[in-house]
Amino acid sequence: MNHEKNMDPVIWTPEAETLFVWLLFTEYEQGMMFGSNFRTVTWDSIHDRLKVHDNRFGDYSIMDLKKKYLRIRGTWKGCHDLQMRTCGFSWNYETHSLQGNDALWAAHLVAFPGDSRLRNAKLYHYDWLTEIFLPPPQIIDADVDFDSSGD
């Protein structure tokens, strides 16, 4: 969906965004994500697969897709970080947006006015995005000896 005030060359419907995020997720599951990005060949594949599903995606360049990806990632990060650092915010799976009462939003936006963009932000498939963008927890080897005395 076009959440970015006409920054996209064509309108992103919820269906188009769902397809795009699903393709990102399938590429992620196949191990095609390195760090926080995909290889060029992966972007080519996503672009081609989008066109197969809907010819209107032929109007998108790979750079358009990468920009959309960065906007989605930025919105997800803002929403996720806000939930982690501020008690009272949660994800609403019915509205596809952050949930918090008006008083909570008002108090938060006084301290962080830049977060106003998150109040009406919509992310379809928050769980897929969380799996893509949230790094897995680090496993600590329980057999490591933390005694520095050398005994």
Side-chain angles (χ1 to χ4, degrees), residues 26-87:
T26 59
E27 293 291 341
Y28 163 79
E29 282 190 316
Q30 295 172 14
M32 301 307 291
M33 187 170 194
F34 300 92
S36 61
N37 290 302
F38 295 98
R39 289 184 178 176
T40 301
V41 67
T42 305
W43 284 111
D44 291 339
S45 172
I46 291 170
H47 185 254
D48 292 345
R49 290 165 67 193
L50 282 169
K51 286 192 304 187
V52 167
H53 284 282
D54 188 334
N55 197 40
R56 289 177 298 163
F57 285 109
D59 295 339
Y60 284 81
S61 69
I62 290 175
M63 185 57 66
D64 293 329
L65 299 179
K66 288 179 179 181
K67 287 176 181 178
K68 180 65 174 177
Y69 167 80
L70 292 174
R71 286 190 296 276
I72 289 172
R73 185 175 71 184
T75 301
W76 173 87
K77 183 174 180 0
C79 292
H80 179 76
D81 290 353
L82 185 54
Q83 290 176 82
M84 295 297 108
R85 74 173 186 248
T86 308
C87 184

Side-chain angles (χ1 to χ4, degrees), residues 10-26:
V10 295
I11 294 173
W12 282 89
T13 64
E15 296 79 14
E17 189 168 309
T18 294
L19 176 59
F20 181 59
V21 172
W22 177 77
L23 289 171
L24 292 171
F25 184 72
T26 59

Side-chain angles (χ1 to χ4, degrees), residues 76-128:
W76 173 87
K77 183 174 180 0
C79 292
H80 179 76
D81 290 353
L82 185 54
Q83 290 176 82
M84 295 297 108
R85 74 173 186 248
T86 308
C87 184
F89 286 105
S90 61
W91 191 253
N92 184 322
Y93 288 92
E94 290 182 22
T95 64
H96 310 287
S97 60
L98 275 174
Q99 180 174 301
N101 65 42
D102 289 340
L104 180 62
W105 273 109
H108 178 75
L109 293 178
V110 167
F112 301 96
D115 283 353
S116 63
R117 67 184 177 81
L118 301 176
R119 187 161 192 180
N120 297 313
K122 297 227 182 263
L123 288 173
Y124 306 94
H125 314 297
Y126 185 79
D127 288 342
W128 285 349

